[in-house]
Amino acid sequence: MGLLTIGGFARAARLTPKALRLYDELGLLRPAAVDPESGYRLYDPAQLERARLIASLRRIGMPLAEIRTVCGLRPEAAAEAVDAYWRRVVADTAQRGRLATLLVGNLSGKGSAMDHTALAVRHATRCDTGAARDSNEDAAYADERLLAVADGMRGPGGAAASTAAIDVLRALEPADVPAADLLALLAGGVDEAHRAVRGLAVDAHQPVTTLTALLRSGSWVALVHVGDSRAYLLREGELHQLTRDHTYVQSLVDAGRLAPEAVAAHPQRAVLVRALGAGGEHVEADLALRDARPGDRYLLCSDGLSAVVDPAAVRDALGGAGGPDEAVERLVALAYAAGAPDNVACVVADVVAA
C-alpha cells in the first residue's frame, strides 16, 4: 500500500485533518512525506498504530505533553504511565465530586448545618531522634486547626526544611473558611511551603522534606500529602491509611512489579519520587477533603514509625485506653522496641464534640 493523503489517513486513524496538522506542528506525528508542489501531507500506513494510540490517549483526556512522553516509551513502560495517569484522573474526579456535593449543599442551604458543627480537637505530639541517629530532621505540630508532620532529608538543611514547611502552614487561617475553599487554601499553602524549602538551597545542595498535614475548618478537614510520611484515621475501631507513599517501591507495587510484603526488605524502599524542595517550581501534592466526626482519632507520623511498626500494632496502640498523650507514648515505644533506626515523629488527635 502506498502513502495515504491526510484525509485518507485521518479516516483510517479516526482523527481529523486538523488534529493531524496540530500533531505535525508539535512533533507528535510527522507525515512520511510532503508533496513539494501542493504541500499536502502524506502518511505511511505503518504510522497508523502511533496515530491510533495518540487518538486513544486524547479521548481519555491526556494532555499533549504527557502523550509525547508516553509515545516515546517502550510498551510496558507506556502501559505503566497510562495507568498512573488514569489513577490520577480517578482520584481527581472523586475529589471534584465531593466538592460538587459540598457546593450543592452550600448553595441549597442543606450543607450549612454540617459545615458549622461545633467540634474540638485534643492532640499530642512527639518527635524523637531515635536509637540510631545523632540528629533529628523530623518535625511535628498540632493545634486546634492544624496537624502536621514533616521528615527532612538527612544532611545539611534537612531539619530546617521540615520546620520551614510546617511554619508556612501554621500561618494559614482556616477559621470560617467554607469547606469548598479549604482545599484551595491548603493547596496554596503547600505551594508556598515548596518555595520556602527550595529557598534553603546552598550552593549545589538542595534540602527536601516530606509533608503530611490536616487543616480543619468546622467539621471538615483538608489533607495534603507529599512524600512517605503518613496519615491514618481510626474510626469505629477500623484503621484507614489516608495517604499513599510517594516512593519508588510504592510505584513498583502499584504497577504490579513488586509484592507489598517485599517493600520492607527492598534496598530502595526510602527513595522518594515526590518531596517538597525537589524538582521544579511546582510540586505535585495529594489533596483530599474529609468530614470529621466525634470519636475520630487521627495519626500523622514519619516513616520512623510506619516503616518499622506493623499496621495491626499501630491500630492496637491507637485503640488502647487513654487520650492522645497515652497513644503517642505507646506508638513511640513500639518504634523503639523495633530498634528505632530513624527519627520518629507522630501526632495523635481526637475529634470531640465541643
Side-chain angles (χ1 to χ4, degrees), residues 138 151 228 301-309 335-336 338 340-345:
D138 284 6
D151 181 356
D228 64 350
C301 64
S302 64
D303 66 337
L305 175 68
S306 60
V308 297
V309 179
Y336 274 93
D342 199 355
N343 305 148
V344 185

Side-chain angles (χ1 to χ4, degrees), residues 10-296:
R11 287 190 294 275
R14 298 181 182 177
L15 290 167
T16 64
K18 180 179 179 180
L20 288 174
R21 287 190 287 270
L22 173 62
Y23 300 158
D24 180 13
E25 293 170 4
L26 296 175
L28 272 174
L29 187 64
R30 299 287 194 192
V34 177
D35 188 289
E37 295 184 3
S38 65
Y40 284 175
R41 295 170 173 86
L42 301 171
Y43 293 83
D44 192 311
Q47 294 178 283
L48 281 171
E49 183 177 356
R50 181 183 178 95
R52 287 166 179 159
L53 172 61
I54 294 171
S56 296
L57 293 174
R58 289 296 290 157
R59 279 196 288 274
I60 66 171
M62 181 176 284
L64 290 170
E66 289 194 51
I67 290 176
R68 183 194 302 277
T69 300
V70 170
C71 288
L73 299 173
R74 294 181 180 275
E76 182 179 355
E80 293 177 9
V82 173
D83 180 63
Y85 166 75
W86 192 248
R87 282 189 281 103
R88 294 200 307 271
V89 170
V90 171
D92 182 61
T93 301
Q95 183 57 52
R96 291 185 182 188
R98 287 191 288 271
L99 287 174
T101 300
L102 287 172
L103 288 170
V104 170
N106 290 339
L107 292 170
S108 65
K110 297 177 181 179
S112 57
M114 178 174 286
D115 224 18
H116 293 87
T117 299
L119 297 176
V121 175
R122 298 171 182 166
H123 49 78
T125 66
R126 185 163 166 184
C127 191
D128 277 37
T129 301
R133 293 288 183 89
D134 55 8
S135 62
N136 193 346
E137 287 75 39
D138 284 6
Y141 178 81
D143 65 14
E144 272 285 318
R145 298 293 185 182
L146 176 69
L147 314 174
V149 163
D151 181 356
M153 179 184 67
R154 192 179 187 192
S162 59
T163 300
I166 291 179
D167 282 347
V168 169
L169 297 192
R170 289 177 62 182
L172 299 178
E173 295 290 344
D176 299 323
V177 172
D181 295 336
L182 192 59
L183 274 182
L185 179 67
L186 192 54
V190 76
D191 283 341
E192 184 179 345
H194 179 60
R195 290 191 293 271
V197 175
R198 283 175 59 83
L200 297 173
V202 177
D203 298 326
H205 179 74
Q206 172 64 68
V208 301
T209 183
T210 70
L211 179 64
T212 300
L214 290 169
L215 187 67
R216 184 177 72 89
S217 178
S219 60
W220 295 100
V221 289
L223 167 69
V224 64
H225 170 65
V226 182
D228 64 350
S229 297
R230 290 185 179 179
Y232 294 91
L233 168 63
L234 184 71
R235 175 175 283 177
E236 297 178 350
E238 295 292 327
L239 184 66
H240 308 273
Q241 183 176 329
L242 304 182
T243 54
R244 170 185 168 276
D245 294 345
H246 299 144
T247 58
Y248 171 68
V249 292
Q250 184 61 49
S251 68
L252 296 180
V253 172
D254 293 342
R257 296 168 58 189
L258 183 71
E261 56 270 19
V263 168
H266 198 284
Q268 295 176 294
R269 63 186 178 278
V271 176
L272 296 175
V273 296
R274 290 194 223 168
L276 294 187
E281 294 297 320
H282 302 283
V283 63
E284 183 181 356
D286 291 345
L287 293 160
L289 190 65
R290 305 186 62 88
D291 65 310
R293 305 177 188 174
D296 285 350

